[in-house]
Amino acid sequence: MTQTIPMTAAAIGGMGHSMKRKEDPRFLQGKGNYVEDVNLPGMLWMDIVRSPYAHAKIVSIDASKALAIPGVLAVITGKDLEAYNLHWMPTLMSDTQMVLPVDKVMYQAQEVAAVIATDRYIAADGAAAVDVEYEELPVVVDPFKALLPDAPVLRTDKPGKTDNHIFHWEVGDAAVTDKAFAEADVVVKQDIYIPRIHVASIETCGCVASFEKTEGKLTVWMTTQAPHAIRTVFALVAGHVGLSEEKIRIISPDIGGGFGGKVPVYPGYVIAVAATVLIGKPVKWIEDRMENLQADSFARDYHTTAELAATKDGKLTALRFKTLADHGYADAAANPSKFPAGLYHICTGSYDLQAAHVEVDGAYTNKPPGGVAYRCSFRVTEAVHTIERMVDIMAHQIGMDPAALRMKNFIEKEQFPYKSVLGWEYDSGDYHAALQKAMDIIGYDDLRREQLEKRARGEYMGIGISSFTEIVGAGPSKDFDILGIKMFDSAEIRVHPTGKAIARFGTKSQGQGHETTYAQIVAQELGIPMAHVQVEEGDTDTAPYGLGTYASRSTPTSGAAAAMAARKIRDKARKIAAYLMEVAEEDLEWEPGKFTVKGNPEAFKTIQEIAFAAYTNHPQGMEAGLEATHYYDPPNLTYPFGSYICVVDIDAGTGQVHVRRFVAVDDCGNIINPMIVDGQIHGGLSMGLAPALYEEISYDEAGNCLGGSFIDYLVPTAVETPNWETDKTITPSPHHPFGAKGVGESATVGAPPAIANAVVDALWHLGVRHIDIPMTPSKVWKVLRDHGVTGS
Amino acid sequence: MSMKTVNFTINGEAKSVQAESRQLLVHCIRETLGLTGTHVGCETSHCGACTIHLDGEPVKSCTMFAVQAEGKSLTTVEGLAIGGTLNPVQEGFWEEHGLQCGFCTPGMMMTATALLRTVNEPTETEIREAISGNLCRCTGYVNIVKAIQYAQRKMHATPAPEAVLQGGD
Ligand code: FES
Ligand code: FES
């Protein structure tokens, strides 16, 4: 399959053009349509009563004061839902989670009751007036303690459950790995914690649920990245109370950032649906920021003991990771069903390792469900952070330059497609080229010299590298499903008689710019100007079924589907063109926008002429119209990669880490819109900087959330964010229809270890071996103090 | 709750609205007046998604009551484009890909428009500081800074320099 994409004219605006975004005019003029902008006649508001305790028995709920407030129509509790068997719901990982509790709460800020009122302020008044009596229970916040024999068992709802262990999962050959470790010249070992963080999209979660009693139709406008899957989940969860899939319409309008946080079904959505069905009026529920930060959308929380083995001259030989995953009180992670630890076993990274063994255990704690996502494909960030930290530790340990150690151990370009020891088949890559390019751009050797001079003067400057391999685009349906639904995705294209087109997809943009990039794919494949291709997604009544947008899967799946559907249309167009010009199909040549008779450039039919003929003058016996649908099941995942280099200066007096420069060389294969890819990388880098230096959701012993507002949860502003320097190499995916790979999350995955490595690189000579992220000033300052630096 | 009549102009139009005394200005704008371009990302003054102009000054409309707008002149994102023509800041955001999900964008542009009205040639540092009360989760800010620089050049008709951004901090 050829992977060089011919450049179309700018007027067509196919792949490779930095077309301005088609969605922008409405956003720029305040005409976006986000969930909170949806207002329906007679709409009611919902507010949620939440638990102040992390673990407590509910003794009683007294709603009488709330119900006495004029305008409060109902207070819904777990008991009300229990009557319909809707108080628990399944999670994506075959666990269960409460919609509303009947007897006890499991985390601080858990939903306890919902107040329905005529107005948002009255709903809030009502929520404040609901009296809940609790009896505190012992709290488990530490997943290690959760697994001790004397730990209180949290999931007493599960008959026969005698501990807080959720799952054990392992991959790789333990015996071969043990042998490689036993024979190794050098072994490094490090405990690495990747804390719980939150996507904190600027739009919180919410919905407007509207049940039309006469037709029995439920419409839900909701902040979801996966509207079709949600429809099916609703049908499965509430089928027994009469909600039938053809009567459910999920509309995901403009979404104000998702990053994985808008994949799961949160209790608030389900309660709002229950409320509209019970009351018969539309119900709006919009989380406030503190609810958002305290109750849903958490990621990471991986405690790993990592070991890496090498020969004394720096050839990596084996890897062993043992991880404890804190999933909160329910395993509601958003992973493909067969993978309780997601794609964590991509953790051999960019390196040609011949032995590896990985174990992950999941534990319940008194925290909200974790493991959702933070702009990352199913635990890839945890894998990349750990291997990239370990490679750096090994380099320092044996006195080798971290760049040289990486170069020595990279999978060679010639080894692709490369079968990793943990079972992945990497599609394509050229890791040496990407790292070399990053080193050239940043001036690596000069920086190392500068670092030596600074060190001699007692200044702390560090250089950190991360050479990551991502794994995105789930996925081949033989391996990947969510609740049994295969992870294909879809495109449907209809070309109108005048040669304009509408294209609909099973995915859902949350800022990625699908209305532009998908139009460019269609433009590339059909030669119809992208300006004339209307892209729609997010309405389950009109769009073809798909699994949605997360894990950088839109371009690898729906983007591929767009190309395949367009190619079906082109095949038909060729037949029509041959008929119109009275030549054989084989005598026609395609270039974007027209079929020309070989050897006679004057004789051609444009796609617009052909489209018109498809409705007005098509061959006898041929179906009218010009449209196609394609459900694309990728043969493999795509493996974007890159090398990042970060330079930091550390203030010895305050522990403040200043990112002086950050060079990112990314490779996502062939590019649809360079401007948008660059923007995705900028955003991803910023969401890599954030957990590296600032963000953490932590809990005190009593289970109080310590990161529950924007006062405590530090989303970087323009002031903390450096000027990202981006560049690229292009190694097309050999199996994708136009050689593209996903890109939206690469930088979030790749950036944190580059920053962390830079900080440790600055301090290694003091004896510092590792610092867990986030590397906040106070944490770094303490490390400096513990190593005898008092600084000024 | 007692209702109050509040009079103000918004995007050049005189309005008289009924507002509960505790109603936040942003809810009055979004729900009473139906101008949903002004967004809410926190209600605690941190994110800036709700930024509007009050007598020309950028303010966070989530931490003001509607009644405090009495007699004032308000501008929201809907008032930036004149006769359907984007203002230089809006144009800059489009040209430089200064927005992705678009949720922070109205507030961000209101802050930027106010900055360029008061400072002729802001440095990159001044731009970054000016927008530091507006959070964006999608763009990484680089293109937002470029968008504001674009608008600045357009407003003052200065030619594009070989711009190299320095980054924050
Ligand atoms: S909503 Fe006003 S600052 Fe966030
Ligand atoms: S564009 Fe999404 S928050 Fe700024």
Side-chain angles (χ1 to χ4, degrees):
Chain A
M1 190 171 290
T2 169
Q3 293 300 332
T4 331
I5 308 294
M7 198 74 174
T8 55
I12 291 177
M15 284 179 55
H17 291 283
S18 284
M19 303 305 293
K20 284 200 289 180
R21 297 202 322 169
K22 296 179 68 157
E23 43 273 85
D24 285 355
R26 71 171 182 276
F27 293 138
L28 291 167
Q29 296 176 81
K31 299 285 188 243
N33 187 37
Y34 301 88
V35 168
E36 193 171 353
D37 303 339
V38 174
N39 290 303
L40 301 176
M43 190 178 76
L44 305 173
W45 284 83
M46 181 170 101
D47 208 323
I48 292 180
V49 180
R50 291 177 185 272
S51 167
Y53 300 112
H55 196 198
K57 211 166 121 48
I58 296 174
V59 178
S60 64
I61 300 177
D62 178 359
S64 55
K65 274 193 237 127
L67 287 165
I69 297 173
V72 171
L73 302 182
V75 176
I76 300 173
T77 66
K79 290 240 159 58
D80 298 320
L81 297 184
E82 191 181 19
Y84 301 92
N85 195 25
L86 282 175
H87 54 313
W88 284 86
M89 63 178 177
T91 71
L92 296 181
M93 302 313 293
S94 306
D95 198 351
T96 51
Q97 135 179 45
M98 288 179 227
V99 178
L100 283 174
V102 171
D103 51 3
K104 64 174 183 167
V105 289
M106 300 291 269
Y107 60 91
Q108 188 182 53
Q110 184 178 342
E111 300 79 356
V112 173
V115 176
I116 313 294
T118 50
D119 169 85
R120 62 157 76 227
Y121 290 82
I122 297 172
D125 289 342
V130 173
D131 243 326
V132 186
E133 194 187 332
Y134 300 93
E135 191 179 296
E136 286 186 70
L137 293 168
V139 174
V140 183
V141 286
D142 179 336
F144 292 96
K145 290 187 186 155
L147 295 185
L148 295 176
D150 60 345
V153 177
L154 299 183
R155 292 299 298 266
T156 46
D157 57 290
K158 289 177 185 280
K161 186 84 184 143
T162 55
D163 59 22
N164 296 312
H165 187 252
I166 309 175
F167 64 84
H168 174 81
W169 179 83
E170 62 179 271
V171 60
D173 190 323
V176 169
T177 305
D178 289 349
K179 184 162 176 289
F181 269 94
E183 290 168 357
D185 298 335
V186 193
V187 171
V188 289
K189 183 172 183 177
Q190 182 64 51
D191 288 339
I192 295 176
Y193 175 51
I194 303 176
R196 184 174 270 239
I197 50 175
H198 194 290
V199 292
S201 50
I202 304 301
E203 177 197 42
T204 60
C205 296
C207 68
V208 177
S210 177
F211 184 66
E212 268 289 331
K213 272 213 163 90
T214 36
E215 291 184 27
K217 175 129 185 171
L218 173 72
T219 306
V220 189
W221 288 260
M222 70 188 269
T223 47
T224 176
Q225 301 173 223
H228 302 272
I230 296 288
R231 185 186 69 195
T232 304
V233 169
F234 277 1
L236 294 175
V237 171
H240 64 284
V241 290
L243 281 182
S244 181
E245 195 163 1
E246 85 284 7
K247 298 275 193 189
I248 303 173
R249 180 183 191 185
I250 307 295
I251 300 175
S252 183
D254 289 327
I255 299 295
F259 315 114
K262 290 171 181 167
V263 172
V265 179
Y266 296 121
Y269 299 131
V270 181
I271 307 168
V273 167
T276 185
V277 172
L278 290 173
I279 298 171
K281 286 193 173 175
V283 173
K284 184 186 265 192
W285 166 66
I286 304 290
E287 270 178 346
D288 70 25
R289 175 58 58 188
M290 287 193 271
E291 296 179 288
N292 175 252
L293 285 173
Q294 293 173 19
D296 57 47
S297 321
F298 300 97
R300 317 279 191 261
D301 229 345
Y302 258 31
H303 300 258
T304 298
T305 299
E307 293 170 279
L308 191 60
T311 62
K312 57 181 174 303
D313 59 348
K315 181 75 195 143
L316 301 176
T317 54
L319 163 160
R320 190 157 51 200
F321 289 178
K322 194 164 169 31
T323 297
L324 181 58
D326 184 341
H327 279 247
Y329 96 93
D331 188 7
N335 287 320
S337 302
K338 292 194 190 80
F339 299 94
L343 314 184
Y344 188 56
H345 47 311
I346 189 68
C347 60
T348 54
S350 308
Y351 310 101
D352 188 15
L353 274 158
Q354 292 308 314
H357 184 240
V358 177
E359 289 176 84
V360 183
D361 287 90
Y364 289 127
T365 58
N366 285 120
K367 297 176 192 169
V372 172
Y374 181 103
R375 199 170 181 154
C376 136
S377 175
F378 314 126
R379 303 288 192 189
V380 178
T381 317
E382 289 89 328
V384 166
H385 190 76
T386 310
I387 180 69
E388 286 302 304
R389 278 294 301 123
M390 293 308 289
V391 165
D392 246 54
I393 291 172
M394 177 62 81
H396 281 108
Q397 188 67 40
I398 61 176
M400 202 167 162
D401 184 277
L405 184 84
R406 285 180 169 82
M407 289 287 195
K408 185 178 178 115
N409 288 284
F410 279 153
I411 299 160
E412 302 280 341
K413 172 163 104 183
E414 295 71 29
Q415 288 175 275
F416 292 94
Y418 172 83
K419 188 99 183 161
S420 86
V421 69
L422 294 181
W424 300 112
E425 188 178 302
Y426 295 24
D427 58 348
S428 65
D430 186 349
Y431 301 156
H432 295 84
L435 178 54
Q436 192 57 54
K437 191 163 194 175
M439 291 169 73
D440 293 346
I441 292 169
I442 207 157
Y444 187 76
D445 296 338
D446 288 345
L447 286 169
R448 284 286 175 209
R449 272 191 290 277
E450 182 192 341
Q451 183 185 31
L452 281 181
E453 291 162 20
K454 289 216 156 126
R455 192 168 293 165
R457 292 204 298 270
E459 293 171 36
Y460 301 97
M461 163 189 169
I463 304 156
I465 301 175
S466 160
S467 293
F468 64 92
T469 293
E470 256 260 77
I471 173 170
V472 305
S477 65
K478 62 180 186 331
D479 296 324
F480 295 95
D481 68 86
I482 287 183
L483 293 177
I485 306 166
K486 304 288 193 185
M487 295 187 73
F488 56 81
D489 227 297
S490 61
E492 176 209 89
I493 306 171
R494 297 186 199 167
V495 184
H496 306 317
T498 55
K500 316 289 195 284
I502 184 162
R504 292 184 167 126
F505 299 85
T507 48
K508 177 61 208 174
S509 182
Q510 313 120 42
Q512 294 89 337
H514 290 174
E515 289 168 50
T516 307
T517 51
Y518 285 159
Q520 287 186 262
I521 297 168
V522 175
Q524 182 71 39
E525 296 287 341
L526 292 179
I528 296 172
M530 60 85 78
H532 296 164
V533 181
Q534 169 82 16
V535 169
E536 290 182 4
E537 335 169 82
D539 182 342
T540 58
D541 267 9
T542 57
Y545 201 93
L547 271 282
T549 294
Y550 43 85
S552 296
R553 64 187 300 276
S554 297
T555 295
T557 59
S558 265
M564 301 306 278
R567 287 171 197 180
K568 289 180 190 167
I569 287 174
R570 209 160 71 199
D571 288 344
K572 183 170 181 184
R574 177 185 288 270
K575 290 191 170 56
I576 298 172
Y579 166 76
L580 293 175
M581 292 190 280
E582 298 179 359
V583 294
E585 284 178 51
E586 309 76 63
D587 292 337
L588 292 176
E589 254 170 357
W590 169 257
E591 68 182 272
K594 62 183 176 184
F595 280 108
T596 307
V597 179
K598 282 181 192 158
N600 183 4
E602 303 299 307
F604 62 85
K605 288 286 171 197
T606 65
I607 189 74
Q608 288 80 9
E609 290 170 308
I610 296 166
F612 197 65
Y615 295 87
T616 59
N617 180 24
H618 53 285
Q620 278 290 321
M622 179 188 273
E623 264 184 74
L626 196 58
E627 59 183 68
T629 302
H630 193 91
Y631 286 80
Y632 187 77
D633 183 0
N636 190 5
L637 295 133
T638 68
Y639 295 75
F641 61 94
S643 271
Y644 295 169
I645 306 182
C646 169
V647 184
V648 300
D649 299 297
I650 299 171
D651 185 323
T654 62
Q656 176 94 31
V657 175
H658 170 67
V659 177
R660 189 203 311 174
R661 285 187 72 190
F662 197 110
V663 168
V665 174
D666 270 276
D667 193 320
C668 60
N670 288 331
I671 287 174
I672 303 166
N673 182 321
M675 174 192 83
I676 287 179
V677 166
D678 237 29
Q680 288 294 303
I681 292 167
H682 289 169
L685 290 168
S686 303
M687 288 184 80
L689 172 84
L693 295 183
Y694 306 106
E695 295 176 2
E696 175 169 11
I697 302 277
S698 58
Y699 295 82
D700 69 10
E701 288 279 294
N704 295 306
C705 176
L706 303 181
S709 77
F710 275 158
I711 296 172
D712 304 301
Y713 193 70
L714 302 177
V715 171
T717 74
V719 171
E720 293 82 39
T721 308
N723 181 42
W724 308 113
E725 300 172 63
T726 56
D727 209 323
K728 59 177 173 288
T729 58
I730 293 181
T731 312
S733 168
H735 64 75
H736 185 273
F738 48 88
K741 302 180 177 185
V743 71
E745 300 161 328
S746 289
T748 314
V749 170
I755 297 167
N757 285 343
V759 172
V760 176
D761 182 67
L763 307 177
W764 184 275
H765 63 289
L766 301 175
V768 177
R769 294 296 169 262
H770 176 75
I771 305 173
D772 281 327
I773 56 172
M775 296 180 163
T776 56
S778 62
K779 202 189 274 180
V780 173
W781 181 83
K782 279 187 199 126
V783 168
L784 285 165
R785 189 196 53 189
D786 292 349
H787 288 81
V789 179
T790 44
S792 58
Chain B
M1 287 293 157
S2 68
M3 298 296 258
K4 297 237 178 351
T5 303
V6 190
N7 301 295
F8 50 75
T9 63
I10 184 160
N11 302 327
E13 263 184 68
K15 294 277 177 195
S16 180
V17 300
Q18 293 297 306
E20 230 184 272
S21 39
R22 64 174 174 174
Q23 188 187 38
L24 299 178
L25 180 56
V26 68
H27 292 147
C28 173
I29 292 169
R30 288 180 48 82
E31 287 158 23
T32 310
L33 297 172
L35 296 170
T36 55
T38 303
H39 296 150
V40 178
C42 68
E43 294 182 16
T44 51
S45 283
H46 290 95
C47 77
C50 63
T51 307
I52 62 160
H53 291 178
L54 187 83
D55 287 345
E57 292 284 321
V59 297
K60 291 176 174 172
S61 61
C62 73
T63 19
M64 277 189 65
F65 294 116
V67 291
Q68 290 175 283
E70 175 64 36
K72 307 278 188 197
S73 166
L74 279 54
T75 309
T76 67
V77 63
E78 288 90 346
L80 288 182
I82 309 284
T85 308
L86 300 182
N87 89 353
V89 171
Q90 292 170 302
E91 193 184 313
F93 272 71
W94 197 10
E95 288 289 335
E96 299 289 351
H97 189 28
L99 67 156
Q100 291 183 23
C101 78
F103 201 79
C104 72
T105 312
M108 198 66 88
M109 294 193 306
M110 298 311 289
T111 301
T113 302
L115 168 73
L116 294 179
R117 205 178 281 151
T118 48
V119 186
N120 257 349
E121 282 185 43
T123 62
E124 184 194 337
T125 305
E126 286 172 321
I127 293 174
R128 285 181 181 270
E129 278 170 5
I131 61 171
S132 66
N134 293 75
L135 297 177
C136 175
R137 202 55 159 162
C138 302
T139 65
Y141 302 108
V142 172
N143 289 347
I144 291 179
V145 174
K146 286 188 189 162
I148 297 169
Q149 291 174 332
Y150 175 101
Q152 189 274 331
R153 289 196 301 275
K154 174 108 185 181
M155 285 163 74
H156 302 286
T158 47
E162 279 293 301
V164 181
L165 300 191
Q166 298 306 311
D169 200 2

